[in-house]
Amino acid sequence: MRTDTPPTIYRNQYVPPGYLVEQVEMGFDLDPAETRVATRSTLVKNPDSPERDLVLYGHEMRLVQIRMNGKELTPADYRLDGETLRIPNAPDQVTLEIETALNPESNTSLMGLYVSNGNFFTQCEAEGFRKITYFPDRPDVMAKYTVMLRADKKRYPVLLSNGNLIEQGDLGDGRHYALWEDPFKKPSYLFALVAGDLVCQEEAFLLKDGREVLLQVWVEHGNLDKTQHAMDSLKNSIRWDEERFNLELDLDRFMIVAVGDFNMGAMENKGLNIFNTKFVLANPRIATDIDYFNIESVVGHEYFHNWTGNRVTCRDWFQLSLKEGLTVFRDQEFSADMIGTDSGRAVRRIDDVRVLRQTQFAEDAGPMAHPVRPDSYIEINNFYTVTVYEKGSEVVRMYQTLLGREGFNRGMALYFERHDGQAVTCDDFRAAMADANGRDLTQFERWYSQAGTPHVSATSEYDGHARTFTLTLSQSCPPTPGQEKKLPFHIPVAVGLLDSSGRDMPLHLAPHGNAPEAPTTAILELTEERQTFVFHEVSECPVPSLLRNFSAPVVLSYEYTDAELAFLMEHDSDPFNRWEAGQRLATRRLLVLVDKLLLADSVAQTFDGEDADVQSATARVPSAEQAALIGALRGTLRHAGLDPAFREVALSLPSETMLSEEMDVIHPHAIHRARLALRRMIAEQLREEFLETYHANQTPGPYSPDPQSVGKRALKNLALSYLCELDDEASHELMERQYDHATNMTDRLAALTALVNSRAAGRQDRLNRFFEEFKHEALVIDKWFTLQATARGTDVAAVRELARHPAFTLRNPNRVRSLVLAFCSGNPAQFHAPDGSGYAFWAEYVIALDAINPQVAARLARVMDRWRKYAQPLREKMREALERVAASPSLSGDVLEVISKSLAN
Ligand code: B3K
Ligand code: ZN
């Protein structure tokens, strides 16, 4: 194990920078093997800082020369300690001239300046700028940048950086240059450059104030037929931000550049967003409906950062959710508004909540649990988490729920009025929300400081005589690493009451209320450990609809009967809770089935391998309770008044991961078998309905990613996947026919996925044809790997075989995610092979990847987060694998942090 454990950084040790930077001029002589960077910055001493030294950060490059106010510094003039270069006794006004030499083509971490497919790209957030030059690389140092790029004209005809293009021309020697100037102050993490042989789709676009701006989407040659959707998404994003928040584009030019090798989704560099190709390139041939949706969402997200992140940025990295939580909230609202209909919005909400529950709730309950505003970290890149992003977005959403849309907008306006051009904290954002609305949001701070998912339990009592319905809510929050005890949160709980005909009752929270316009949803504010709310004038005992639209990121429990859940599923006016009721019902049935299987297994084991009991546990004839669930699902499936997209989410069973989180001890195989058994049972019982749905939801004609068609395809393909559980000739024919006649990737991939999970004779042939047809489309080959990695029949040996395929490489993050991560996180039944072979595979790849790309390796490392919850002997084997990784020499800080926290907590 490495001995020089990297240091932990603490939030409460924040010290303002000793020097502020005013102006930065950079000159790049780009060369893949040796790029020279000359940086000239003017700095002034910061009167508000106790720090006396001029502190710069840098690593993984060669320092050629450093001059201060014209005089060259020798190593005796500064102290170099790890990444930190300290210059003591620097004057108040400093001009620093630094020359560094880099080797971009050997940079496999994809942080700083690197080469992808022969072109240059940068990634500076969080701390990549320090791999380009020595600099006060921290977000509270904001400066204006001028950037000169010089490179070979033939190989790199396109030279881009932040802001506006000032000048370009020839250098005579086969080289050329471009000079860029960003008129806005920015932190170094927003710096970017791109140089290479690229082409662009461009459009002039008129802003609300009448200014014309130039929009560009840059891609490699051959991809111009895949940029239209990203361009449309960008235009929609610009319009939306103008309309919803009155925020305008502040530059003359806005560029998006797609790159195939990228650690995450995209990056909001000022005026020069750099994107993973996965979130730019689309046409019906290569992209699915989900891809189309994701592109719109990520383009929106990065564009919205221009205000929430760039114009107002983070004081330090602990405040990351200030920009990320807020920007996720903004992109979620954007996506919902783009769909428009109530039921479409609900489907978006359901999708977001599914992600939150499946990944963030798990994170909150595991060894990496941290508050939305963390208190410490070893490697900041490990904190771009679902807690900071998705829970952070829920926290922002709660402001809107508590203050109303108008109130929220007032808060946003005040936030920009106060902080434009500044680097600020989550407290500053909360203060703007409170002050703009005259509200005390002191207690709300706990959403930022306390980790863990709060549990809210509700009980109720109806008094027919007094016509009151009393709801008692209590809250608690489990301990998390470093936080034993939690204080009560400020939780908005949206509640409705349904009468026996399923209609919303008017709500009166005070006696004798008879306001004609009484609301049918009330936002109860739970601020204490236990609180009672009394509804008056309640004419009959209602069924409560609790936490409507998922008004807070909590686990809510209430003892609903099965009949009440079925009733809510049928009647609730809140579509989110309608879906929720169905999920609760399905989860109940699945957990009962899991228990039965476990019992049957243990009985079978005592009778030496006799599996008759297992068969009886998953009998094909549904029990009365299962029949009730299936009846309710039938009602939903047949309900023509419900949007196809809604029916699709309502008919989908909770995932295996979701079910795991519901169990104290995880038995992955029992969960897998139970879910499969229930799916088969549903398929058998609803075969006719699924067939009918399949045929009724075809989308003939040219492909369109509009919400209606997307919903239809989703429902049709869900019907197909259920029918395929029957694994009979009729279903094989259906999927083969769909595969052969598909005119878009959504239908094609759905059919191929079904095929790969079946015993259909034509599966291997189509899998091979698919590869041949798309072997030049990297994003489609990723899909080809993923669909096999997550197929039921793919065991560890098969995934190892796929890793030997010539198209597989550890160098490309998308490819690694598509196979290795997809298998380890998306194929639980095989990954958790009882012999521990899945874990051995995992350990090998974490170690191998860490030497190439620590960020991607650390992400893979997190697959083991929940190891303590698994049944024996899995748990022990997982621990062994974790220890194997921990014992490996020279691990990165990224992986070390994840593994050591996992073993410690
Ligand atoms: N801000 C970037 C994420 C950078 C991740 C650095 N490890 C993308 C985004 O959230 O928009
Ligand atoms: Zn972001």
Side-chain angles (χ1 to χ4, degrees), residues 1-2 847 850 884-892:
M1 200 185 317
R2 70 185 267 172
I847 294 167
D850 196 35
R884 197 170 323 147
V885 176
S888 155
S890 63
L891 284 181
S892 69

Side-chain angles (χ1 to χ4, degrees), residues 466-580:
R467 291 162 53 96
T468 55
F469 181 73
T470 305
L471 193 63
T472 302
L473 301 177
S474 13
Q475 60 165 307
S476 64
C477 182
T480 47
Q483 289 187 338
E484 268 313 301
K485 291 258 166 296
K486 315 289 165 96
L487 296 166
F489 291 85
H490 183 170
I491 306 176
V493 183
V495 175
L497 303 179
L498 274 66
D499 70 16
S500 50
S501 69
R503 268 193 295 269
D504 272 327
M505 300 168 109
L507 303 180
H508 306 285
L509 278 156
H512 313 301
N514 56 358
E517 297 284 292
T520 53
T521 297
I523 308 291
L524 308 178
E525 295 192 27
L526 174 62
T527 52
E528 288 155 38
E529 229 160 79
R530 187 184 159 89
Q531 251 166 288
T532 292
F533 301 87
V534 181
F535 293 90
H536 299 267
E537 314 299 332
V538 185
S539 51
E540 57 174 307
C541 183
V543 178
S545 165
L546 303 168
L547 207 72
R548 280 186 158 175
N549 204 33
F550 198 66
S551 59
V554 302
V555 173
L556 180 116
S557 54
Y558 178 81
E559 300 233 332
Y560 284 116
T561 63
D562 281 4
E564 284 172 325
L565 288 176
F567 178 80
L568 287 171
M569 219 175 140
E570 199 181 336
H571 297 291
D572 202 327
S573 66
D574 182 67
F576 180 88
N577 269 2
R578 214 168 160 157
W579 169 80
E580 177 84 329

Side-chain angles (χ1 to χ4, degrees), residues 285 766-776 781 784:
R285 183 174 166 264
R766 286 178 180 76
L767 207 47
N768 297 345
R769 269 162 42 196
F770 186 89
F771 183 84
E772 277 309 308
E773 188 172 343
F774 294 105
K775 61 182 172 206
H776 302 300
I781 297 307
W784 184 80

Side-chain angles (χ1 to χ4, degrees), residues 477-689:
C477 182
T480 47
Q483 289 187 338
E484 268 313 301
K485 291 258 166 296
K486 315 289 165 96
L487 296 166
F489 291 85
H490 183 170
I491 306 176
V493 183
V495 175
L497 303 179
L498 274 66
D499 70 16
S500 50
S501 69
R503 268 193 295 269
D504 272 327
M505 300 168 109
L507 303 180
H508 306 285
L509 278 156
H512 313 301
N514 56 358
E517 297 284 292
T520 53
T521 297
I523 308 291
L524 308 178
E525 295 192 27
L526 174 62
T527 52
E528 288 155 38
E529 229 160 79
R530 187 184 159 89
Q531 251 166 288
T532 292
F533 301 87
V534 181
F535 293 90
H536 299 267
E537 314 299 332
V538 185
S539 51
E540 57 174 307
C541 183
V543 178
S545 165
L546 303 168
L547 207 72
R548 280 186 158 175
N549 204 33
F550 198 66
S551 59
V554 302
V555 173
L556 180 116
S557 54
Y558 178 81
E559 300 233 332
Y560 284 116
T561 63
D562 281 4
E564 284 172 325
L565 288 176
F567 178 80
L568 287 171
M569 219 175 140
E570 199 181 336
H571 297 291
D572 202 327
S573 66
D574 182 67
F576 180 88
N577 269 2
R578 214 168 160 157
W579 169 80
E580 177 84 329
Q583 296 294 300
R584 282 178 193 255
L585 212 47
T587 303
R588 276 186 196 175
R589 297 289 75 80
L590 284 162
L591 293 180
V592 168
L593 213 45
V594 170
D595 279 347
K596 272 197 189 163
L597 281 168
L598 289 173
L599 193 70
D601 272 353
S602 63
V603 172
Q605 260 166 25
T606 35
F607 291 111
D608 200 22
E610 174 59 69
D611 72 352
D613 294 286
V614 176
Q615 278 178 17
S616 76
T618 57
R620 294 217 143 173
V621 183
S623 65
E625 290 88 353
Q626 288 165 342
L629 169 68
I630 294 171
L633 292 177
R634 177 181 284 118
T636 306
L637 189 57
R638 277 189 175 160
H639 195 316
L642 292 173
D643 265 1
F646 183 82
R647 283 187 271 160
E648 193 267 336
V649 289
L651 265 292
S652 302
L653 296 181
S655 69
E656 290 174 34
T657 313
M658 270 301 297
L659 293 167
S660 305
E661 288 302 316
E662 296 280 339
M663 302 184 70
D664 295 328
V665 177
I666 304 174
H667 293 270
H669 305 102
I671 291 174
H672 178 73
R673 280 151 65 207
R675 193 169 178 279
L676 209 56
L678 186 58
R679 272 178 63 85
R680 289 207 172 119
M681 202 181 279
I682 294 171
E684 272 166 19
Q685 301 294 316
L686 301 183
R687 176 201 291 255
E688 289 314 312
E689 286 84 350

Side-chain angles (χ1 to χ4, degrees), residues 780-902:
V780 182
I781 297 307
D782 290 339
K783 297 182 197 306
W784 184 80
F785 276 110
T786 298
L787 83 95
Q788 295 178 81
T790 54
R792 287 173 195 157
T794 302
D795 57 13
V796 181
V799 85
R800 282 187 184 280
E801 186 62 37
L802 281 164
R804 282 191 289 270
H805 192 283
F808 183 74
T809 167
L810 281 186
R811 293 281 161 129
N812 177 261
N814 285 355
R815 195 54 49 89
V816 171
R817 286 184 281 255
S818 78
L819 180 64
V820 184
L821 190 62
F823 176 75
C824 296
S825 67
N827 199 342
Q830 297 286 2
F831 176 63
H832 295 283
D835 62 0
S837 55
Y839 311 147
F841 172 81
W842 167 86
E844 248 171 68
Y845 276 85
V846 171
I847 294 167
L849 261 171
D850 196 35
I852 297 170
N853 189 326
Q855 261 180 63
V856 178
R859 171 64 192 87
L860 179 63
R862 295 222 33 206
V863 164
M864 290 293 211
D865 265 18
R866 302 297 269 147
W867 69 276
R868 281 175 202 275
K869 266 192 90 170
Y870 280 82
Q872 290 293 27
L874 302 180
R875 190 192 326 152
E876 189 49 28
K877 295 199 153 76
M878 290 172 100
R879 195 179 55 76
E880 284 167 14
L882 280 158
E883 276 170 355
R884 197 170 323 147
V885 176
S888 155
S890 63
L891 284 181
S892 69
D894 305 56
V895 168
L896 200 67
E897 176 167 35
V898 172
I899 299 290
S900 55
K901 286 184 177 170
S902 207

